[in-house]
PDB file of all heavy atoms in Angstrom:
ATOM      1  N   PRO A 482     130.891 138.802  16.028  1.00 94.00           N
ATOM      2  CA  PRO A 482     131.920 137.998  16.696  1.00 94.00           C
ATOM      3  C   PRO A 482     131.332 137.030  17.719  1.00 94.00           C
ATOM      4  O   PRO A 482     130.410 137.355  18.467  1.00 94.00           O
ATOM      5  CB  PRO A 482     132.795 139.051  17.369  1.00 94.00           C
ATOM      6  CG  PRO A 482     132.637 140.275  16.520  1.00 94.00           C
ATOM      7  CD  PRO A 482     131.206 140.248  16.066  1.00 94.00           C
ATOM      8  N   GLY A 483     131.891 135.815  17.715  1.00 95.00           N
ATOM      9  CA  GLY A 483     131.475 134.800  18.674  1.00 95.00           C
ATOM     10  C   GLY A 483     130.199 134.086  18.312  1.00 95.00           C
ATOM     11  O   GLY A 483     129.726 133.246  19.094  1.00 95.00           O
ATOM     12  N   ASN A 484     129.631 134.363  17.157  1.00 95.00           N
ATOM     13  CA  ASN A 484     128.359 133.773  16.751  1.00 95.00           C
ATOM     14  C   ASN A 484     128.454 133.235  15.326  1.00 95.00           C
ATOM     15  O   ASN A 484     128.951 133.918  14.427  1.00 95.00           O
ATOM     16  CB  ASN A 484     127.239 134.813  16.805  1.00 95.00           C
ATOM     17  CG  ASN A 484     126.942 135.275  18.212  1.00 95.00           C
ATOM     18  OD1 ASN A 484     126.112 134.712  18.898  1.00 95.00           O
ATOM     19  ND2 ASN A 484     127.643 136.331  18.648  1.00 95.00           N
ATOM     20  N   GLN A 485     127.953 132.019  15.141  1.00 92.00           N
ATOM     21  CA  GLN A 485     127.915 131.447  13.809  1.00 92.00           C
ATOM     22  C   GLN A 485     126.926 130.296  13.765  1.00 92.00           C
ATOM     23  O   GLN A 485     126.604 129.695  14.793  1.00 92.00           O
ATOM     24  CB  GLN A 485     129.286 130.975  13.358  1.00 92.00           C
ATOM     25  CG  GLN A 485     129.929 129.926  14.247  1.00 92.00           C
ATOM     26  CD  GLN A 485     131.285 129.511  13.723  1.00 92.00           C
ATOM     27  OE1 GLN A 485     131.414 129.031  12.600  1.00 92.00           O
ATOM     28  NE2 GLN A 485     132.320 129.696  14.537  1.00 92.00           N
ATOM     29  N   ILE A 486     126.433 130.030  12.561  1.00 91.00           N
ATOM     30  CA  ILE A 486     125.522 128.910  12.308  1.00 91.00           C
ATOM     31  C   ILE A 486     126.146 128.146  11.148  1.00 91.00           C
ATOM     32  O   ILE A 486     126.126 128.612  10.015  1.00 91.00           O
ATOM     33  CB  ILE A 486     124.114 129.399  11.913  1.00 91.00           C
ATOM     34  CG1 ILE A 486     123.592 130.420  12.928  1.00 91.00           C
ATOM     35  CG2 ILE A 486     123.153 128.229  11.773  1.00 91.00           C
ATOM     36  CD1 ILE A 486     122.369 131.187  12.434  1.00 91.00           C
ATOM     37  N   THR A 487     126.709 126.976  11.440  1.00 88.00           N
ATOM     38  CA  THR A 487     127.592 126.358  10.459  1.00 88.00           C
ATOM     39  C   THR A 487     127.417 124.855  10.388  1.00 88.00           C
ATOM     40  O   THR A 487     127.394 124.174  11.409  1.00 88.00           O
ATOM     41  CB  THR A 487     129.074 126.651  10.803  1.00 88.00           C
ATOM     42  OG1 THR A 487     129.234 128.031  11.057  1.00 88.00           O
ATOM     43  CG2 THR A 487     129.978 126.232   9.666  1.00 88.00           C
ATOM     44  N   GLU A 488     127.314 124.346   9.165  1.00 84.00           N
ATOM     45  CA  GLU A 488     127.470 122.913   8.909  1.00 84.00           C
ATOM     46  C   GLU A 488     128.961 122.657   8.813  1.00 84.00           C
ATOM     47  O   GLU A 488     129.666 123.332   8.063  1.00 84.00           O
ATOM     48  CB  GLU A 488     126.734 122.541   7.620  1.00 84.00           C
ATOM     49  CG  GLU A 488     127.037 121.155   7.090  1.00 84.00           C
ATOM     50  CD  GLU A 488     128.247 121.151   6.198  1.00 84.00           C
ATOM     51  OE1 GLU A 488     128.263 121.851   5.187  1.00 84.00           O
ATOM     52  OE2 GLU A 488     129.196 120.432   6.569  1.00 84.00           O
ATOM     53  N   THR A 489     129.449 121.701   9.586  1.00 81.00           N
ATOM     54  CA  THR A 489     130.893 121.550   9.746  1.00 81.00           C
ATOM     55  C   THR A 489     131.440 120.239   9.210  1.00 81.00           C
ATOM     56  O   THR A 489     132.448 119.750   9.709  1.00 81.00           O
ATOM     57  CB  THR A 489     131.278 121.675  11.227  1.00 81.00           C
ATOM     58  OG1 THR A 489     130.737 120.571  11.949  1.00 81.00           O
ATOM     59  CG2 THR A 489     130.798 122.970  11.820  1.00 81.00           C
ATOM     60  N   SER A 490     130.781 119.636   8.229  1.00 68.00           N
ATOM     61  CA  SER A 490     131.270 118.371   7.685  1.00 68.00           C
ATOM     62  C   SER A 490     131.401 117.357   8.811  1.00 68.00           C
ATOM     63  O   SER A 490     130.419 116.947   9.395  1.00 68.00           O
ATOM     64  CB  SER A 490     132.586 118.587   6.938  1.00 68.00           C
ATOM     65  OG  SER A 490     133.059 117.395   6.374  1.00 68.00           O
ATOM     66  N   ASN A 491     132.617 116.986   9.174  1.00 58.00           N
ATOM     67  CA  ASN A 491     132.839 116.007  10.232  1.00 58.00           C
ATOM     68  C   ASN A 491     132.931 116.649  11.611  1.00 58.00           C
ATOM     69  O   ASN A 491     133.452 116.053  12.549  1.00 58.00           O
ATOM     70  CB  ASN A 491     134.127 115.224   9.966  1.00 58.00           C
ATOM     71  CG  ASN A 491     134.037 114.369   8.738  1.00 58.00           C
ATOM     72  OD1 ASN A 491     133.287 113.406   8.704  1.00 58.00           O
ATOM     73  ND2 ASN A 491     134.774 114.720   7.701  1.00 58.00           N
ATOM     74  N   GLY A 492     132.443 117.878  11.750  1.00 54.00           N
ATOM     75  CA  GLY A 492     132.606 118.581  13.008  1.00 54.00           C
ATOM     76  C   GLY A 492     133.973 119.223  13.113  1.00 54.00           C
ATOM     77  O   GLY A 492     134.458 119.502  14.202  1.00 54.00           O
ATOM     78  N   THR A 493     134.611 119.488  11.956  1.00 56.00           N
ATOM     79  CA  THR A 493     135.970 120.004  11.942  1.00 56.00           C
ATOM     80  C   THR A 493     135.959 121.522  11.961  1.00 56.00           C
ATOM     81  O   THR A 493     135.691 122.154  10.953  1.00 56.00           O
ATOM     82  CB  THR A 493     136.720 119.487  10.703  1.00 56.00           C
ATOM     83  OG1 THR A 493     135.923 119.726   9.550  1.00 56.00           O
ATOM     84  CG2 THR A 493     136.968 118.007  10.826  1.00 56.00           C
TER      85      THR A 493
END
Side-chain angles (χ1 to χ4, degrees):
N484 294 270
Q485 59 180 301
I486 309 166
T487 311
E488 169 273 301
T489 66
S490 182
N491 294 292
T493 50

